Amino acid sequence: MTSSPAAPGRDAALAARVVGLSKTYGRGEAVVRALDDVTLDLLAGEFTAVMGPSGSGKSTLMHVLAALDRPDAGEVLLGETSLAGLDDKALTRIRRDRIGFVFQSFNLVTTLSAEENILLPLSIAGRRPDRAWFDLVVDTVGLRSRLGHKPSELSGGQQQRVAVARALVSRPQIVFADEPTGNLDSRSGAEVLALLRQAVDEHGQTVVMVTHDPVAAAATDRVVFLADGRVVEELRHPDRDTVLATMARVAGPDPVAPGAPREGDAP
């Protein structure tokens, strides 16, 4: 496995954890094992990227972590709360109150202004915004002069900044970002990554981002690589070149799980 700096101490707070996670789709000969006995800790106040070849399970992992899908086996914990056995109503409350989302396609309501889109999760929950925190978030993402604009009046980068602000305004326990720069040009993508990085560094937010972009991954604290539904590599304090090299190895014919011996290793 690629060498990397030492991981944070074991006493670091956990934002989320999965243990023995498995998920399949389909039946019989058409069955697809999207996740295969995955165990993973996500530390609070850290920016984590999840990468892997197409079909590696990275989107499924995020959906299960975000309570958008249920695993076939294993346990998912958000903080100290186990999601096992919770009914749909309880899972909806968790998604609404404790999780933020940033999607590749922005997912803004076209008839609402930027401010109304940002406050929408709080409105749905019947909660009043903390105006000081709202102002800080808006100023952080640089949208003060665009709050009255509809999505059609905003650039792609501005729309994604609205989406980031919406994810942060309720002070969620964890933010999941699914290819947040995928529909943006390089400049706008860099701005969104900087916003997510700032949310972690200055506000202690926890961010988990699925991405295929090594430049985006290099903005994070940690990159977890999946292949065939398993965690096979991990990097800490990544840079573009180490991410590219690891991706090439992971996409090879026979990725090896962390700690497993490789061909040619001494017994």
Side-chain angles (χ1 to χ4, degrees), residues 112-162:
L112 300 182
S113 67
E115 179 170 4
E116 290 167 336
N117 268 286
I118 293 170
L119 294 175
L120 187 59
L122 293 177
S123 299
I124 292 172
R127 294 165 51 192
R128 292 184 178 181
D130 177 335
R131 296 308 302 190
W133 176 247
F134 172 82
D135 287 340
L136 180 60
V137 168
V138 167
D139 290 338
T140 297
V141 300
L143 287 171
R144 177 68 59 185
S145 64
R146 294 290 186 268
L147 289 179
H149 289 62
K150 301 285 180 61
S152 61
E153 301 170 315
L154 302 173
S155 68
Q158 289 169 338
Q159 289 184 64
Q160 194 62 299
R161 281 189 269 164
V162 172

Side-chain angles (χ1 to χ4, degrees), residues 55-245:
S56 61
K58 54 188 183 293
S59 292
T60 300
L61 176 62
M62 188 182 74
H63 291 165
V64 172
L65 273 164
L68 293 169
D69 201 355
R70 295 180 185 266
D72 297 330
E75 186 174 20
V76 182
L77 296 104
L78 187 64
E80 297 182 358
T81 302
S82 174
L83 303 188
L86 296 182
D87 60 22
D88 290 342
K89 187 174 182 180
L91 290 175
T92 296
R93 284 197 299 268
I94 284 176
R95 289 192 297 268
R96 183 188 67 196
D97 297 337
R98 299 174 62 180
I99 295 174
F101 298 96
V102 182
F103 300 97
Q104 179 177 347
S105 57
F106 317 143
N107 281 15
L108 302 180
V109 179
T110 59
T111 57
L112 300 182
S113 67
E115 179 170 4
E116 290 167 336
N117 268 286
I118 293 170
L119 294 175
L120 187 59
L122 293 177
S123 299
I124 292 172
R127 294 165 51 192
R128 292 184 178 181
D130 177 335
R131 296 308 302 190
W133 176 247
F134 172 82
D135 287 340
L136 180 60
V137 168
V138 167
D139 290 338
T140 297
V141 300
L143 287 171
R144 177 68 59 185
S145 64
R146 294 290 186 268
L147 289 179
H149 289 62
K150 301 285 180 61
S152 61
E153 301 170 315
L154 302 173
S155 68
Q158 289 169 338
Q159 289 184 64
Q160 194 62 299
R161 281 189 269 164
V162 172
V164 171
R166 180 182 59 190
L168 297 175
V169 76
S170 60
R171 297 181 189 247
Q173 186 171 335
I174 189 167
V175 170
F176 292 101
D178 189 2
E179 297 280 7
T181 62
N183 280 341
L184 303 177
D185 59 41
S186 58
R187 179 176 179 178
S188 296
E191 291 174 352
V192 169
L193 287 171
L195 291 173
L196 294 172
R197 182 75 259 174
Q198 187 176 357
V200 173
D201 294 341
E202 297 185 10
H203 306 308
Q205 184 63 63
T206 304
V207 178
V208 179
M209 174 179 68
V210 168
T211 185
H212 69 278
D213 182 357
V215 174
T220 69
D221 301 305
R222 174 194 188 198
V223 186
V224 175
F225 296 88
L226 271 65
D228 299 323
R230 296 172 293 147
V231 176
V232 294
E233 292 274 5
E234 178 179 330
L235 290 173
R236 285 202 164 272
H237 309 297
D239 59 49
R240 176 182 174 275
D241 291 340
T242 56
V243 171
L244 280 170

